[in-house]
């Protein structure tokens, strides 16, 4: 006896435009929250330390959130595939809101760090599940348009975060950096609960507990290694070497466990899919090169060009503008033509040019020129990140949609974390050499140890020594930018290997129904798709 026809969302290739618009509103709000909280606290940190103390634990306010997000991203993708994305997505929003509320009420640095970790655990599901849920309701060709908007939100929120954080800190309180999430999150929760269709299978699942544990522990060690190396601990210190050894052992053990797991949290079969393997490689390399370098741009703007913290945030707007334009434009073109392969190739090529242009900057470079260079970098980014997610979603089996989407994001995040650590080490080594060559030993030691008080220290130096310091910082930073050129060139080479698949004309819900119908034997239970809207008439 044939399986029953899929109901609700699975009955059509795409949901009605009005319904997709409502679903997308909830998804974009949730994604906005996740991305904002990666950067919004940066400008509030000095005020937080003044209020709560705990200067020696300051970096953990950022690290705790990053750790929560990175560890849980692959897990959300898999459990969303197993148990349905809607309930997991709603749970992620709820966890994020609880973490936001508690972060805003913190009375000590230890409390704030703990609640930021809770925020991260929720935030890890917002971005990846939003990208997977839109795949449930629209076909890849039309999905390109929405993925372009996701990319625009990602870039815009990343740049806007410090500006918004600075505004709330200056005019209200640092606590509103977290409270601002509550009204937006409640709206996102309500819209998502009312509009997102529920896709589930009536089958029992085997939960890969050991895989979850090994992946979480291995990623934790990796994030801590890349966060602490070269800063809190020297690269060759016992702590860093121990973390590197632990991460290696845990992740190697994970591969053995996943080969035998009934439903692995990280399905190794994904790596046999050429599109997934290539896209993951592009994501890692581009994350390493682009995000590793972009994190140093505010330092150039503040130290070399003399901008304030808020001013440097405003000067990053061209980068955001470039990303917005190319991300949305590429999504529109893909939706109309069905062709996507050219965009990662163009994007990584443009990024190489942008990185080289950044390496030519000096204290004499005009603000207009810097803006153009940043717009080039942003334009390159907008052509890559969301497009490789779209390619993967059109290649892998519907049952692996969440896991594949999550792991492409995961490799990008890990690449960015490692890139920041490696380029940070290069910058520190280069700066030490530059300052030793340009400044008297006592002055070099003074500015090196100044930390957050660098502006006050520089203000007390003679003009000639200030210029030597600024020139040294500029030389160190442009060395980092130049080093990123061959890194991104690797991504450019990998991008040429990306297959040019025909984008599917059906949504994931329909694909999942077809896969299940083809796989089950007569008389076995089949998938059921429930939707918040009335069931559609059978086609």
């Amino acid at each position: 006896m044939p399986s029953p026809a899929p109901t609700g969302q699975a009955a059509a290739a795409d949901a009605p435009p009005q319904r997709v618009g409502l679903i997308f509103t909830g998804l974009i709000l949730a994604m906005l929250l996740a991305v904002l909280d990666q950067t919004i606290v940066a400008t509030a940190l000095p005020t937080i330390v003044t209020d709560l103390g705990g200067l020696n634990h300051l970096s953990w306010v950022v690290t705790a959130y990053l750790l929560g997000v990175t560890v849980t991203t692959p897990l959300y993708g898999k459990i969303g595939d197993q148990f349905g994305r809607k309930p997991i997505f709603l749970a992620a929003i709820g966890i994020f809101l609880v973490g936001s509320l508690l972060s805003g009420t913190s009375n000590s640095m230890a409390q704030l760090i703990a609640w930021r970790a809770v925020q991260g655990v929720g935030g890890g599901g917002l971005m990846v599940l939003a990208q997977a849920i839109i795949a449930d309701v629209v076909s890849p060709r039309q999905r390109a348009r929405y993925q372009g908007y996701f990319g625009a939100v990602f870039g815009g929120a990343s740049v806007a975060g410090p500006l918004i954080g600075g505004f709330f800190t200056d005019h209200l309180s640092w606590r509103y950096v977290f409270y601002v999430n509550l009204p937006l999150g409640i709206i996102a929760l309500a819209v998502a609960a009312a509009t997102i269709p529920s896709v589930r299978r009536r089958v029992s699942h085997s939960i890969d507990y050991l895989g979850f544990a090994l992946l979480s522990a291995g990623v934790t060690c990796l994030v801590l290694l890349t966060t602490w190396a070269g800063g809190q601990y020297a690269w060759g210190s016992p702590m860093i070497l121990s973390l590197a050894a632990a991460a290696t052992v845990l992740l190697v053990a994970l591969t053995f466990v996943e080969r035998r797991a009934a439903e692995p949290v990280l399905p190794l079969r994904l790596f046999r899919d050429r599109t997934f393997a290539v896209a993951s490689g592009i994501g890692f390399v581009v994350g390493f090169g682009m995000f590793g370098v972009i994190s140093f741009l505010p330092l150039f703007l503040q130290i070399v060009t003399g901008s304030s913290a808020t001013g440097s945030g405003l000067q990053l707007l061209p980068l955001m503008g470039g990303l917005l334009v190319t991300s949305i434009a590429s999504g529109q073109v893909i939706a109309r033509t069905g062709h996507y392969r050219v965009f990662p190739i163009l994007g990584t090529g443009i990024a190489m040019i942008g990185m080289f242009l950044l390496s030519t900057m000096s204290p004499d470079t005009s603000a207009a020129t810097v803006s153009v260079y940043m717009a080039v970098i942003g334009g390159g980014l907008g052509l890559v990140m969301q497009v490789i997610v779209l390619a993967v979603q059109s290649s892998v089996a519907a049952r692996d949609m969440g896991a594949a989407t999550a792991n492409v994001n995961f490799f990008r995040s890990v690449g960015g974390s490692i890139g920041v650590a490696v380029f940070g080490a290069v910058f520190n080594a280069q700066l030490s050499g530059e300052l030793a060559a340009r400044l008297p030993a006592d002055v070099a030691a003074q500015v090196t140890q100044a930390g957050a008080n660098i502006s006050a220290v520089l203000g007390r130096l003679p003009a000639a020594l200030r210029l030597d310091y600024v020139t040294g910082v500029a030389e160190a930073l442009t060395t980092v930018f130049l080093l990123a050129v061959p890194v991104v060139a690797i991504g450019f080479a990998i991008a040429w290997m990306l297959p040019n698949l025909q984008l599917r004309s059906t949504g994931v819900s329909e694909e999942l129904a077809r896969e299940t119908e083809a796989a089950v034997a007569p008389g076995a239970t089949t998938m059921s798709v429930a939707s918040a809207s009335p069931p559609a008439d059978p086609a």
Side-chain angles (χ1 to χ4, degrees), residues 299 303-304 427 431 435 468-478:
L299 185 61
I303 299 296
V304 179
F427 170 72
L431 181 61
L435 295 185
D468 285 338
Y469 173 78
V470 168
T471 303
V473 171
E475 290 292 331
L477 286 172
T478 52

Side-chain angles (χ1 to χ4, degrees), residues 9 20 23-24 26-27 30 80 84-90 93 125-138 143 147 150 192 195-199 393 401-402 405 507-509:
Q9 194 54 53
V20 173
I23 293 171
F24 185 71
L27 299 181
R85 280 181 267 281
K86 180 176 181 176
I88 306 302
F89 185 64
L90 296 180
I93 296 176
L126 299 185
M127 186 182 304
V128 63
L129 289 174
Q131 291 176 325
I133 287 168
I134 202 67
D136 285 339
V137 295
V138 294
R143 193 185 312 151
Q147 293 285 18
F150 278 145
T195 61
I196 294 175
S198 297
V199 181
Q393 289 181 338
M401 185 65 65
T405 302
V508 172
S509 298

Side-chain angles (χ1 to χ4, degrees), residues 84-111:
R85 280 181 267 281
K86 180 176 181 176
I88 306 302
F89 185 64
L90 296 180
I93 296 176
I95 294 170
F96 182 86
L97 291 179
V98 169
S100 298
L101 176 62
L102 294 174
S103 293
T105 60
S106 298
N107 293 314
S108 69
M109 187 63 76
Q111 287 181 358

Side-chain angles (χ1 to χ4, degrees), residues 64-65 68 92 95-96 98-100 102 113-123:
Y65 184 83
I95 294 170
F96 182 86
V98 169
S100 298
L102 294 174
I113 291 169
W115 303 138
R116 282 283 287 169
V118 173
Q119 259 194 313
V121 169

Side-chain angles (χ1 to χ4, degrees), residues 20 28 68 117 126 186 197 211 240 303 321 341 374 378 388 422 531:
V20 173
I28 211 75
L126 299 185
I186 291 170
I240 297 303
I303 299 296
R341 181 174 176 264
M374 287 193 292
I388 61 175
V422 171
S531 176

Side-chain angles (χ1 to χ4, degrees), residues 291-304:
F291 294 110
V293 165
I294 287 172
S295 63
F296 290 94
L297 277 174
L299 185 61
F300 185 93
L301 295 173
Q302 291 178 39
I303 299 296
V304 179

Side-chain angles (χ1 to χ4, degrees), residues 6 17 25 485 499:
T25 299
V485 174

